[in-house]
Amino acid sequence: MRVLVRRCWGPPLAHGAGRGRPSPQWRALARLGWEDSRVREKPPWRVLFFGTDQFAREALRELHAARENQEEELIDKLEVVTLPSLSPRGLPVKQYAVQSQLPIYEWPDVGSGEYDVGVVASFGRLLSEALILKFPYGILNVHPSCLPRWRGPAPVIHTVLHGDTVTGVTIMQIRPKRFDVGPILKQETIPVPPKSTAKELEAVLSRLGANMLISVLKNLPESLSNGRQQPTEGATYAPKISAGTSCVKWEEQTSEQIFRLYRAIGNIIPLQTLWMGNTIKLLDLVEVNSSALADPKLTGQALIPGSLIYHKQSQILLVYCKDSWIGVRSVMLKKRLTATDFYNGYLHPWYQKNSQAQPSQCRFQTLRLPTKKKQNKTVTM
């Protein structure tokens, strides 16, 4: 089917005389800059999906379920674009597409078929204006934040990292050249569960976003015509997380900030610090209970950020930060060590005596990573 392509965010087009009164769906398309009679005015839609990770996989799964639903025809065609991966199995979206026997393209290949609408979820690539214009209804984005807060590639991580109490999902229409600035078609908010990790929160938001996407597709022309521009105030950016973010700054960060950092990125990059000049990774952080805090060892000496005490009853390492203590159950130093292993090997008085270590060295110190670009490994959730 050949379709007349116009900018779907351009000015409305006037209808010619003698065409009769247009339907509400047609008026919505006209407001979006379309007037070709061969454009579909209602479902089922032909969808090209762009995605990579677990968050995107949930949206794809819901689209696939809608395509398989014979009672309510919503999706006519569903194809997938994903990114290359070092894993032979590919990213979660590719794994699901293979399992479901959906046609797959590897970016920048986007196929040559005809589609009504594109859907992006956690894709991480800027789509060109020429690509957006191939879709009569444009491209929708399922974004896990309440835009304009946390635009960018890592919104869930920054939601947890900054201690937000409310978050949500936004279905928006993509615009070229900039991320996450298009009009909002649907937005829902939820409270952030206390002490939630980014991974746990992402799972909740992925289900919410998938359901919202289906709701928008059921009334797509009306949703597009009723879209609202994002507020100019309150915009924040959620950049990719670098390896340097995982370095704990004992003198600067409070216990709450360190725990938020752990819940935000701990499942992606372990928190890092220095021990006797060697990098050590903190694998399992826990909050310190009141009985441990009452230990005379914690209150009877001058405290320096990074100071270490082994709490035998709890079998955890207590580490002092800017304002209080955090607990560490296990670390990685050459190999994985429990807190007890670390104490026996590196904190026991006989070791410190025999190693001739200075007392000032027997504590965690902030790790400063090189600033060269090749050292700045970044990851996206």
Side-chain angles (χ1 to χ4, degrees):
M1 180 177 71
R2 183 178 176 83
V3 177
L4 175 66
V5 176
R6 297 184 185 274
R7 293 177 184 268
C8 53
W9 53 88
L13 298 180
H15 288 283
R19 292 190 181 181
R21 187 174 182 178
S23 67
Q25 293 89 349
W26 177 256
R27 289 197 299 272
L29 275 177
R31 282 193 292 272
L32 294 168
W34 288 82
E35 62 172 354
D36 193 288
S37 61
R38 288 164 291 184
V39 173
R40 293 188 180 185
E41 296 185 33
K42 60 182 181 180
W45 309 118
R46 296 160 298 178
V47 178
L48 184 61
F49 181 84
F50 301 77
T52 55
D53 60 13
Q54 286 293 136
F55 178 85
R57 182 187 182 279
E58 186 65 21
L60 178 60
R61 188 193 65 80
E62 200 68 27
L63 289 171
H64 183 236
R67 196 197 71 168
E68 297 298 302
N69 186 352
Q70 302 297 324
E71 297 180 1
E72 185 178 11
E73 295 184 352
L74 181 64
I75 306 297
D76 180 25
K77 180 171 74 171
L78 180 60
E79 299 183 355
V80 176
V81 178
T82 190
L83 299 180
S85 170
L86 296 177
S87 168
R89 297 182 62 201
L91 298 168
V93 161
K94 181 177 181 179
Q95 293 172 21
Y96 183 87
V98 170
Q99 172 190 336
S100 305
Q101 298 182 327
L102 297 173
I104 305 169
Y105 305 100
E106 193 169 274
W107 180 264
D109 182 12
V110 295
S112 57
E114 293 181 335
Y115 311 95
D116 301 301
V117 63
V119 173
V120 167
S122 194
F123 189 60
R125 294 293 185 272
L126 199 61
L127 306 186
S128 68
E129 182 175 1
L131 177 59
I132 297 171
L133 286 171
K134 290 183 178 181
F135 300 86
Y137 290 95
I139 301 178
L140 311 183
N141 181 19
V142 186
H143 187 82
S145 83
C146 293
L147 291 172
R149 186 159 178 80
W150 301 133
R151 293 171 175 167
V156 181
I157 288 177
H158 285 273
T159 295
V160 175
L161 188 60
H162 290 80
D164 289 7
T165 57
V166 176
T167 186
V169 174
T170 304
I171 309 294
M172 54 159 287
Q173 193 179 32
I174 282 185
R175 293 290 183 260
K177 299 180 182 179
R178 290 179 61 195
F179 282 110
D180 307 327
V181 298
I184 295 171
L185 309 185
K186 190 176 181 65
Q187 188 173 83
E188 293 187 16
T189 62
I190 61 168
V192 178
K195 301 179 182 178
S196 172
T197 66
K199 185 176 181 179
E200 293 165 344
L201 182 59
E202 181 191 54
V204 174
L205 294 176
S206 67
R207 292 189 290 270
L208 174 62
N211 292 332
M212 290 170 60
L213 173 63
I214 296 301
S215 175
V216 167
L217 289 174
K218 287 180 179 179
N219 300 283
L220 183 56
E222 293 87 346
S223 296
L224 291 171
S225 64
N226 294 326
R228 57 183 176 87
Q229 296 302 315
Q230 295 185 30
T232 55
E233 57 281 342
T236 54
Y237 186 65
K240 292 180 179 179
I241 299 300
S242 69
T245 308
S246 66
C247 298
V248 179
K249 301 174 178 63
W250 302 106
E251 298 83 2
E252 302 173 21
Q253 293 176 306
T254 65
S255 57
E256 173 60 26
Q257 288 173 327
I258 294 172
F259 277 121
R260 288 206 305 254
L261 179 64
Y262 173 66
R263 294 196 299 268
I265 69 170
N267 69 304
I268 307 172
I269 315 176
L271 304 194
Q272 302 183 88
T273 189
L274 274 181
W275 169 258
M276 301 282 190
N278 297 307
T279 300
I280 184 171
K281 297 178 180 179
L282 311 179
L283 301 182
D284 188 7
L285 271 61
V286 294
E287 293 186 352
V288 182
N289 60 40
S290 56
S291 62
L293 292 174
D295 191 311
K297 293 181 181 178
L298 276 63
T299 57
Q301 60 178 310
L303 298 173
I304 302 173
S307 296
L308 280 170
I309 292 177
Y310 176 66
H311 192 258
K312 187 174 181 180
Q313 290 80 1
S314 304
Q315 295 184 323
I316 60 174
L317 294 172
L318 300 176
V319 192
Y320 192 71
C321 42
K322 181 180 179 180
D323 67 335
S324 185
W325 299 85
I326 63 169
V328 180
R329 288 198 184 277
S330 61
V331 300
M332 177 69 74
L333 181 62
K334 298 181 181 177
K335 64 178 182 178
R336 189 182 185 110
L337 301 171
T338 66
T340 304
D341 294 334
F342 184 82
Y343 169 74
N344 291 332
Y346 299 95
L347 280 181
H348 197 281
W350 70 262
Y351 170 81
Q352 295 191 21
K353 181 180 179 180
N354 294 335
S355 68
Q356 298 180 340
Q358 297 297 319
S360 61
Q361 293 179 299
C362 298
R363 60 184 177 89
F364 286 159
Q365 296 177 311
T366 298
L367 172 64
R368 309 289 180 182
L369 291 181
T371 56
K372 293 181 180 179
K373 288 185 178 180
K374 65 179 181 180
Q375 298 287 346
N376 286 347
K377 178 183 178 182
T378 59
V379 295
T380 307
M381 187 160 186

